[in-house]
């Protein structure tokens, strides 16, 4: 099954000839190799590029192990270049396996008529170093698991059934190849246990895999809830009767972020225009992996919906924070008191800003007022939205607040 991941293909195509290393990053099994070796390769050949002007190497293939030596890899590429003043496209998958790979890629950029594309599965080697290590010569393309719109383009049929499958098993492309729920759940559990966790432990030389897994389970069980390492450490002591320091928990969280398993949404004071460092929300890159971590037992659709909305906003290129709005009320006795309300998402892209609430159900005016209250306390002219799990017709009220159904939001990228 071929899913045309047009968003990412367009990003690759727009980078052709820009004299930068195009670096494709993302969680393992999200489709990076397919994007480069199938979709981008097809684009090149259909655009008239000859096959002998495309050099492709999967460096995690044992047969290419010798090419992980810098001098051997460069010699191999030199040997396969066609000196006819036409561009040769070099595509290297899992390039972080090459020793001194940054120097190798910078060396390739010194060569005329060469365009370089690479992939990597963890930000420790690539994403965080794009600016520094590549000295401004790297162009990162972050690939996420399938969005719901991409997923639905493949499965078609009843949208509500597709949503149920998606919020249960997530958007890793391989999921679409399995014909039973058992095969899907087994795939996700094995992938988590045998690939993701093992990868994080080995890469970071962690001495306590059990502690890491406990932290992952807690994060999976509290998606969309504010927390911090100190609070988690206290919970382990009081509930789990285990001593895991907040410093260790913070290190585990950084390792999980580096592996693209989780992302964090920082708390932002909307009126004070500053970040509040006390608590953070964590979301999983793929909701299917999150569910597999909990053995598919904790299926609270409101929290899962919030996680998926977060992922969708990131897919659309927005920076996403959690909003905090401070307000004051005066009692009948004339006493003033300070209150804080939360806006689920403060969304930014350049000069564009949107405030978004996620509401699984909005059955009556009382619930609607509850969701609108934080938005109405923000005194600016930026767009304000409520995304509702119910199937409702898009509307805008007298306060300018837009209400839209979840599936309409997910299937229409112009909805925000």
């Amino acid at each position: 099954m071929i899913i045309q991941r047009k968003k990412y293909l367009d990003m690759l195509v727009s980078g052709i000839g820009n004299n930068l290393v195009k670096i494709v990053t993302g969680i393992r099994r999200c489709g990076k190799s397919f994007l480069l070796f199938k979709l981008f390769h097809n684009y090149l050949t259909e655009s008239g590029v000859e096959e002998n002007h495309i050099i492709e190497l999967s460096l995690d293939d044992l047969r290419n192990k010798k090419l992980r030596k810098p001098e051997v890899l460069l010699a191999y590429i030199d040997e396969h270049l066609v000196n006819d003043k036409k561009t040769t496209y070099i595509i290297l998958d899992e390039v972080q396996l090459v020793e001194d790979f940054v120097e190798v890629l910078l060396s390739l950029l010194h060569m005329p008529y060469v365009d370089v594309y690479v992939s990597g599965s963890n930000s420790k080697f690539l994403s965080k170093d794009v600016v520094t290590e590549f000295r401004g010569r790297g162009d990162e393309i972050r690939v996420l698991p399938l969005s719901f719109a991409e997923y639905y383009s493949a499965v078609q049929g009843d949208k509500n059934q597709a949503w149920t499958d998606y919020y249960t098993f997530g958007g890793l492309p391989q999921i679409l190849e399995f014909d039973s729920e058992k095969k899907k759940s087994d795939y996700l559990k094995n992938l988590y246990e045998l690939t993701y966790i093992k990868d994080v432990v080995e890469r970071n030389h962690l001495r306590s895999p059990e502690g890491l897994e406990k932290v992952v389970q807690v994060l999976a069980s509290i998606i969309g809830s504010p927390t911090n390492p100190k609070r988690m450490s206290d919970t382990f002591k009081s509930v789990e009767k285990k001593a895991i320091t907040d410093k260790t928990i913070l290190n585990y969280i950084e390792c999980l972020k580096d592996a693209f398993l989780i992302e964090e949404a920082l708390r932002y004071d909307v009126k004070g225009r500053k970040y509040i460092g006390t608590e953070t929300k964590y979301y999983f890159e793929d909701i299917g992996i999150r569910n597999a971590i909990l053995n598919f037992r904790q299926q609270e659709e409101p929290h899962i919906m919030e996680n998926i909305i977060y992922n969708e906003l990131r897919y659309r290129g927005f920076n996403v924070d959690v909003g905090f709005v401070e307000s004051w009320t005066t009692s009948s006795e004339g006493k003033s008191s300070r209150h804080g309300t939360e806006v689920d998402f403060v969304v930014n892209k350049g000069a564009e800003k949107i405030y978004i609430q996620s509401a699984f159900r909005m059955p009556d005016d009382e619930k609607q007022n509850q969701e609108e209250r934080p938005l109405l306390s923000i005194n600016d002219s930026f767009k304000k939205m409520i995304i509702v799990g119910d199937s409702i017709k898009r509307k805008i009220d007298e306060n300018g607040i837009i209400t839209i159904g979840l599936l309409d939001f997910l299937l229409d990228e112009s909805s925000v």
Side-chain angles (χ1 to χ4, degrees):
M1 181 181 297
I2 294 180
I3 301 174
Q4 299 296 338
R5 309 202 71 182
K6 186 176 183 303
K7 179 186 186 72
Y8 302 118
L9 180 59
D10 287 348
M11 294 170 75
L12 289 173
V13 171
S14 68
I16 290 177
N18 66 4
N19 203 32
L20 299 175
V21 178
K22 272 64 71 172
I23 305 166
V24 180
T25 63
I27 191 173
R28 288 192 185 277
R29 307 292 189 271
C30 71
K32 302 184 300 295
S33 301
F34 184 82
L35 172 66
L36 287 170
F37 290 160
K38 183 69 175 180
L39 300 180
F40 187 56
H41 183 109
N42 287 351
Y43 172 84
L44 292 175
T45 55
E46 290 169 6
S47 300
V49 177
E50 300 169 27
E51 289 285 356
N52 63 350
H53 284 73
I54 304 174
I55 299 174
E56 295 177 327
L57 289 170
S58 296
L59 291 159
D60 59 346
D61 188 327
L62 190 59
R63 287 165 291 195
N64 292 328
K65 186 175 181 179
K66 63 180 182 292
L67 296 178
R68 297 175 193 172
K69 297 291 184 182
E71 297 80 4
V72 178
L73 177 58
L74 288 171
Y76 177 92
I77 291 172
D78 286 340
E79 181 183 340
H80 287 79
L81 285 174
V82 180
N83 297 315
D84 58 1
K85 295 189 177 181
K86 293 181 181 178
T87 299
T88 294
Y89 297 85
I90 300 173
I91 303 173
L92 307 176
D93 193 26
E94 300 298 349
V95 71
Q96 77 275 0
L97 295 174
V98 178
E99 298 173 17
D100 299 322
F101 73 91
V102 172
E103 296 303 317
V104 171
L105 297 179
L106 291 174
S107 296
L108 292 175
L109 288 182
H110 291 306
M111 303 170 66
Y113 309 109
V114 160
D115 210 0
V116 183
Y117 299 77
V118 301
S119 79
S121 295
N122 61 83
S123 63
K124 191 161 189 176
F125 285 110
L126 288 174
S127 179
K128 287 185 176 179
D129 298 330
V130 166
V131 176
T132 55
E133 296 262 21
F134 285 88
R135 303 164 197 161
R137 305 294 296 277
D139 180 14
E140 185 186 10
I141 298 167
R142 173 76 178 276
V143 177
L144 301 176
L146 300 175
S147 68
F148 180 69
E150 289 177 314
Y151 179 88
Y152 184 69
S153 72
V155 300
Q156 293 297 304
D158 181 75
K159 292 178 183 177
N160 290 312
Q161 182 58 54
W163 164 249
T164 300
D165 291 340
Y166 183 78
Y167 83 65
T168 303
F169 299 110
L172 294 178
Q174 188 68 40
I175 282 293
L176 294 167
E177 304 299 326
F178 299 113
D179 58 6
S180 73
E181 292 190 355
K182 185 178 187 308
K183 290 179 181 178
K184 293 177 182 180
S185 62
D186 287 348
Y187 168 75
L188 291 170
K189 285 190 281 189
N190 288 335
L191 184 60
Y192 167 68
E193 293 169 2
L194 303 179
T195 300
Y196 293 153
I197 283 294
K198 184 178 178 183
D199 207 27
V200 171
V201 169
E202 291 180 354
R203 185 186 313 135
N204 297 282
H205 309 291
L206 300 180
R207 291 179 292 179
S208 176
E210 298 81 11
L212 172 68
E213 292 190 59
K214 282 289 184 184
V215 169
V216 176
Q217 288 168 1
V218 170
L219 292 172
S221 68
I222 61 168
I223 52 171
S225 299
T227 190
N228 58 44
K230 178 65 167 61
R231 180 183 295 180
M232 292 176 66
S233 179
D234 292 342
T235 300
F236 280 118
K237 290 175 185 174
S238 61
V239 178
E240 300 283 344
K241 307 302 180 185
K242 292 182 180 293
I244 305 179
T245 67
D246 52 345
K247 183 178 179 180
T248 298
I249 291 172
L250 180 60
N251 180 53
Y252 287 158
I253 288 173
E254 290 301 316
C255 293
L256 295 168
K257 286 163 56 182
D258 280 343
F260 298 120
L261 277 170
I262 63 171
E263 283 202 14
E264 66 178 2
L266 301 177
R267 209 159 179 236
Y268 181 74
D269 182 346
V270 175
K271 291 185 177 180
R273 298 182 182 180
K274 61 183 179 182
Y275 285 99
I276 307 170
T278 54
E279 294 179 324
T280 299
K281 285 188 177 184
Y282 295 96
Y283 297 100
F284 276 75
E285 188 98 331
D286 180 73
I287 202 66
I289 292 296
R290 177 266 178 189
N291 294 336
I293 291 166
L294 300 174
N295 205 22
F296 299 91
R297 291 195 183 102
Q298 204 173 320
Q299 296 290 91
E300 318 95 327
E301 197 172 344
H303 296 300
I304 290 174
M305 170 181 157
E306 185 178 325
N307 197 138
I308 290 173
I309 290 172
Y310 175 87
N311 289 345
E312 179 66 25
L313 293 168
R314 296 288 292 123
Y315 169 80
R316 297 183 188 184
F318 290 102
N319 297 311
V320 185
D321 298 314
V322 177
F324 174 80
V325 184
E326 187 179 77
S327 58
W328 291 83
T329 57
T330 304
S331 67
S332 57
E333 293 81 20
K335 293 183 178 180
S336 296
S337 58
R338 184 172 63 177
H339 302 277
T341 56
E342 185 178 278
V343 177
D344 288 327
F345 301 119
V346 179
V347 178
N348 294 275
K349 186 193 290 182
E352 184 180 7
K353 181 181 289 185
I354 308 167
Y355 303 104
I356 296 176
Q357 292 285 70
S358 170
F360 179 57
R361 293 285 181 263
M362 206 153 65
D364 49 40
D365 290 343
E366 182 180 351
K367 177 62 175 174
Q368 181 161 340
N369 291 337
Q370 178 186 331
E371 296 295 338
E372 286 189 352
R373 197 172 299 121
L375 299 176
L376 293 174
S377 65
I378 302 172
N379 297 317
D380 64 32
S381 58
F382 290 109
K383 186 182 294 185
K384 301 172 178 67
M385 295 183 68
I386 302 173
I387 301 172
V388 184
D390 301 304
S391 179
I392 64 170
K393 187 176 179 62
R394 180 188 175 107
K395 63 180 181 180
I396 182 168
D397 67 15
E398 66 275 9
N399 295 309
I401 296 176
I402 299 165
T403 303
I404 186 172
L406 174 65
L407 297 188
D408 289 339
F409 164 74
L410 293 173
L411 293 171
D412 179 8
E413 194 164 336
S414 65
S415 57
V416 295

